């Protein structure tokens, strides 16, 4: 109000839960990789950015083969997965395609959001090589978490503009 000197401010709070742990060894990740990913489905992805000559659908990230992979035109790998049930997630792993050259191209950072209902998502943060929260152990990259219950994950794996191929995605859970 000009006559009373009152200023109105709108504050919007973005909820971020700290679940990320620094990692120097795969042994630091608690839990085990999910063995049966047959119920996992892709509910959203950046299909328009796929490198069409040799890439496969995003569902190939759960087929157990490093010979099938998702490849984009130098952009990030971006997808949302419904894992079919709630897991207590303790870590994640992203594995490169089997080619000797491409297996060295690991994500530089991975942004992670999660949800138990597929509607309300929480930003869990970004793991990266630069801050020691994303471990590069060719052919895979690993992240470790304190643990969070999650069914849906939004993943954006940024490779810094490299034209790579991501073959597998999995989580560690109790």
């Amino acid at each position: 109000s000009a006559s009373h000197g009152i200023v109105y401010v709108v504050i919007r709070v973005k909820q971020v839960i700290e679940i990320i742990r620094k990692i120097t060894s795969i042994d630091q990740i608690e839990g085990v990789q999910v063995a049966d990913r047959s119920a996992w489905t892709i509910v959203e992805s950046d299909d328009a950015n796929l490198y069409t000559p040799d890439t496969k659908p995003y569902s190939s990230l759960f087929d157990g083969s490093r010979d099938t992979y998702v490849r984009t035109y130098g952009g990030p790998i971006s997808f949302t997965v419904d894992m079919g049930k709630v897991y207590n997630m303790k870590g994640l792993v992203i594995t490169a395609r089997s080619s000797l050259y491409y297996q060295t191209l690991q994500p530089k950072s991975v942004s992670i959001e999660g949800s138990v209902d597929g509607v309300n998502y929480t930003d869990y943060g970004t793991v990266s090589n630069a801050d020691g929260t994303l471990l590069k152990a060719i052919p895979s990259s690993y992240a470790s978490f304190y643990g969070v219950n999650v069914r849906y994950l939004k993943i954006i794996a940024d490779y810094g503009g490299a034209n790579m191929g991501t073959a597998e995605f999995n989580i560690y859970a109790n």
Side-chain angles (χ1 to χ4, degrees):
S1 164
S3 63
H4 297 295
I6 298 173
V7 176
Y8 297 95
V9 178
V10 176
I11 299 173
R12 294 188 181 160
V13 178
K14 182 177 180 180
Q15 182 183 12
V16 177
I17 295 177
E18 282 297 323
I19 65 163
I20 300 169
R21 296 171 45 177
K22 289 198 182 261
I23 181 172
T24 57
S25 166
I26 298 166
D27 296 334
Q28 293 172 309
I29 303 173
E30 298 175 11
V32 295
Q33 289 188 44
V34 175
D36 182 6
R37 296 175 291 164
S38 61
W40 291 19
T41 58
I42 296 293
V43 294
E44 186 179 347
S45 63
D46 64 346
D47 290 329
N49 196 33
L50 291 180
Y51 186 79
T52 53
D54 57 357
T55 197
K56 301 297 179 205
Y58 273 84
S59 59
S60 70
L61 295 173
F62 321 128
D63 69 2
S65 173
R66 288 185 51 218
D67 293 324
T68 57
Y69 52 87
V70 174
R71 183 176 175 193
T72 65
Y73 285 106
I77 299 293
S78 176
F79 62 93
T80 302
V81 57
D82 175 357
M83 297 181 289
K85 70 178 189 177
V86 175
Y87 289 93
N88 182 256
M89 182 176 69
K90 297 290 197 164
L92 65 76
V93 57
I94 294 177
T95 303
R97 63 192 270 197
S98 58
S99 160
L100 289 176
Y101 171 74
Y102 285 100
Q103 70 182 351
T104 63
L105 298 176
Q106 299 293 312
K108 297 191 181 324
S109 66
V110 180
S111 299
I112 308 152
E113 292 182 31
S115 172
V116 292
D117 62 8
V119 176
N120 301 299
Y121 281 83
T122 300
D123 183 351
Y124 297 144
T126 300
V127 294
S128 73
N129 299 124
D131 69 6
T133 56
L134 185 64
L135 175 67
K136 180 179 176 179
I138 296 171
S140 300
S141 288
Y142 300 84
S144 180
F145 308 121
Y146 290 108
V148 64
N149 290 334
V150 65
R151 174 177 171 168
Y152 298 86
L153 283 173
K154 287 185 181 185
I155 301 293
I156 301 174
D158 185 357
Y159 289 77
N163 195 3
M164 71 294 129
T166 304
E168 290 294 305
F169 174 80
N170 204 344
I171 67 166
Y172 286 78
N174 291 39

